Amino acid sequence: MRHILIVGGGYAGLYTAWTLEKQLRHGEARVTVVDPRPYMTYQPFLPEVAAGGVEARHAAVSLRRHLRRTRVVGGWVTEVVHAERRAVITLPDGSERTEHYDELVVTAGAVTRTFAVPGLLEQAIGLKQIEEAVAIRNGVLTAFDRAAGLPPGPERSRLLTVVFVGGGFSGVEGFGETLAFTRALLARYPELSAEEVSIHLVEATDRILPEVAPRTGRWVVEHLRERGGRVHLGTQLVSAVDGHVVLSDGTAFDANLVVWTAGNGANPVVARHTDLPLDERGFVTVGADLRVVALGADGAEPVVVPHAWAAGDDASVPDLAADRPGARTVPNAQHAVRQGRVLGENLVAALRGRPPRPYVHHSLGTVATLGVGHGVFEYHRLVIRGPLAWLMHRGYHVLAVPSWERKVRVLLVWLGQLVAGRDIVSLADLAAPRDAFVRGGVPRRPAVRAAEQTGERAAEPAGERR
């Protein structure tokens, strides 16, 4: 049997494998998916996970549960030598193994792009993984608990300040959901006032949500500001050292949480450890049929790389539905899911000697949540705002999340919230689950807690060690 190796189990990887399972004949080929996580992350739900609107596990789709005829390997593909049809896989214990294949599918996804901003890597967190979204939610809830026990002052203000950097969908939706979340929390914390809570959105350009029309983007900014959000356009993060945020417009303040959502970068494994052709950004170049191609110089026709395919956020895919020549599909779930399906069908066609078909997808519109009861939808000149757009956002994504099992779980959580409201329990101690056992219930002193956050050791009284 021919061996198909899929690098990455995200949207495109899962749907490619799913399609192959449905269309391959028995014994026609065997499929392997390699990913360090045993699940696909449904990233459009992450802003709601961060705000307690969706349970964390419900934004994850188990690979092993839904890929029943696919071999799933938990590990990292750290090198691909396509000329020799082999890939090196690093397993969780650090050991390496070589996997030989006949067909390669690269769907490793993109990574969060960062810049050399002082303090960024030490203080900030992304919003691309479920663990990050859970940490943001716990961080906000823990900060409210601590702030409620402090008198008004600089430390209380710092705890109640959150900054989102990046005005794309992740940043705006995370900002809007957190804004609604913190306003709802104030009803449970009579010691705190709305004026003390500061939620900032920092965007380097003069507009947010570049996928929507400028007029719609301006409305979103005005709407968020009317709800108490602080939106900084044409502004960059200059420094975040020790949580002291400095912006390029001269604004400076202390923040408890900095969330970085300023764009995607090429997956380093794909960009640095493969012999596949890449574009100037480090993404795999593919043709319209999702076969990997080497772009010709001076207008020459692209040359197909045999037995190599790519899709999703780590691929530079021609956008045949766009009006301008040379356009590439934007990295979002709408494209990744559909590209995965087309790639799977094209791979089966290639195995059977049939020509693959090009990927063409006309946008179904743009929809974004701005917090519970707030949203925006745009399709050409049709723009819908407010609660109806928010319901459309929830309706679209509950239909789009893979598997009926996940759809039902998400719907039940939303129905429960309509009756009882959001769950506001913080589980911050999940980061150190053995702490209570090891310390025997002795509370940590503030100096010890601060040292743990910075990775240093702090001396404790002998009577408090066990």
Side-chain angles (χ1 to χ4, degrees):
M1 286 193 295
R2 299 181 69 80
H3 182 204
I4 301 170
L5 177 65
I6 301 176
V7 181
Y11 297 112
L14 172 65
Y15 276 89
T16 298
W18 225 348
T19 303
L20 290 172
E21 284 197 349
K22 294 174 182 177
Q23 298 198 6
L24 285 173
R25 304 187 187 103
H26 179 71
E28 188 172 13
R30 59 190 178 95
V31 182
T32 299
V33 173
V34 182
D35 197 284
R37 290 180 171 82
Y39 55 82
M40 185 213 81
T41 302
Y42 191 72
Q43 292 182 354
F45 277 159
L46 294 186
E48 292 195 66
V49 172
V54 172
E55 287 296 321
R57 288 175 299 164
H58 300 168
V61 180
S62 171
L63 297 178
R64 292 184 180 275
R65 176 166 184 167
H66 299 289
L67 298 178
R68 300 180 182 179
R69 295 192 292 117
T70 298
R71 176 168 157 251
V72 178
V73 177
W76 297 261
V77 172
T78 51
E79 183 183 15
V80 173
V81 184
H82 188 62
E84 301 175 9
R85 308 282 181 85
R86 66 176 176 86
V88 177
I89 301 174
T90 300
L91 301 177
D93 63 0
S95 63
E96 292 185 348
R97 59 194 273 187
T98 298
E99 195 83 18
H100 295 275
Y101 59 83
D102 297 292
E103 300 285 342
L104 175 69
V105 177
V106 181
T107 54
V111 298
T112 301
R113 180 182 59 184
T114 59
F115 300 101
V117 176
L120 177 66
L121 295 181
E122 294 78 13
Q123 298 294 325
I125 188 171
L127 187 51
K128 211 170 185 63
Q129 305 296 340
I130 291 174
E131 296 85 354
E132 294 173 327
V134 172
I136 292 169
R137 177 181 182 272
N138 288 335
V140 170
L141 290 170
T142 302
F144 266 68
D145 284 336
R146 292 176 59 191
L150 296 175
E155 177 61 12
R156 187 152 123 169
S157 297
R158 182 190 70 81
L159 288 169
L160 299 177
T161 301
V162 181
V163 182
F164 284 82
V165 183
F169 270 94
S170 293
V172 171
E173 291 189 328
F175 175 77
E177 285 287 346
T178 302
L179 189 62
F181 185 35
T182 54
R183 292 301 183 268
L185 283 176
L186 288 171
R188 307 292 182 183
Y189 291 87
E191 306 92 336
L192 306 177
S193 65
E195 291 73 21
E196 295 178 283
V197 180
S198 298
I199 314 298
H200 297 258
L201 176 65
V202 179
E203 167 54 37
T205 66
D206 60 356
R207 59 171 297 190
I208 62 174
L209 298 178
E211 292 84 357
V212 304
R215 181 178 179 181
T216 303
R218 288 193 294 271
W219 176 85
V220 172
V221 171
E222 294 170 2
H223 172 76
L224 293 171
R225 285 173 172 167
E226 288 173 358
R227 290 167 51 196
R230 305 186 183 189
V231 182
H232 308 263
L233 298 180
T235 307
Q236 297 179 349
L237 176 66
V238 175
S239 175
V241 175
D242 296 329
H244 183 67
V245 173
V246 180
L247 305 182
S248 59
D249 62 1
T251 305
F253 51 86
D254 291 329
N256 177 60
L257 191 59
V258 177
V259 184
W260 181 269
T261 64
N264 293 324
N267 189 301
V269 172
V270 175
R272 303 172 195 165
H273 304 290
T274 73
D275 55 355
L276 300 174
L278 309 172
D279 67 4
E280 65 281 358
R281 302 171 301 163
F283 297 99
V284 181
T285 53
V286 301
D289 56 11
L290 304 178
R291 290 184 294 179
V292 175
V293 298
L295 299 180
D298 301 325
E301 286 294 320
V303 178
V304 173
V305 177
H307 310 292
W309 310 74
D313 292 357
D314 64 355
S316 180
V317 182
D319 190 351
L320 301 184
D323 297 330
R324 63 188 188 282
R328 301 282 161 171
T329 59
V330 296
N332 62 24
Q334 222 180 102
H335 282 298
V337 167
R338 289 165 177 80
Q339 287 171 8
R341 288 173 175 155
V342 171
L343 195 159
E345 294 170 356
N346 284 352
L347 187 45
V348 172
L351 291 175
R352 297 174 183 172
R354 300 198 307 265
R357 66 182 177 91
Y359 169 76
V360 184
H361 172 61
H362 296 274
S363 174
L364 303 176
T366 301
V367 64
T369 176
L370 304 175
V372 176
H374 307 277
V376 61
F377 170 82
E378 180 181 271
Y379 180 70
H380 298 303
R381 295 186 178 181
L382 173 65
V383 179
I384 300 175
R385 307 163 181 167
L388 178 57
W390 174 73
L391 288 173
M392 292 172 68
H393 175 273
R394 286 204 158 182
Y396 171 79
H397 284 297
V398 80
L399 291 175
V401 66
S403 83
W404 282 102
E405 170 251 343
R406 279 295 178 260
K407 300 179 197 296
V408 170
R409 291 181 188 275
V410 172
L411 279 173
L412 289 176
V413 170
W414 284 343
L415 290 173
Q417 289 175 353
L418 285 176
V419 176
R422 301 187 200 225
D423 191 334
I424 62 169
V425 175
S426 170
L427 298 177
D429 285 342
L430 281 175
R434 296 181 62 251
D435 188 68
F437 172 75
V438 172
R439 299 184 58 80
V442 178
R444 291 173 295 173
R445 291 182 178 272
V448 176
R449 188 183 304 115
E452 289 175 352
Q453 293 174 351
T454 58
E456 301 173 356
R457 295 182 63 87
E460 294 181 80
E464 294 188 3
R465 289 198 297 268
R466 291 180 182 267

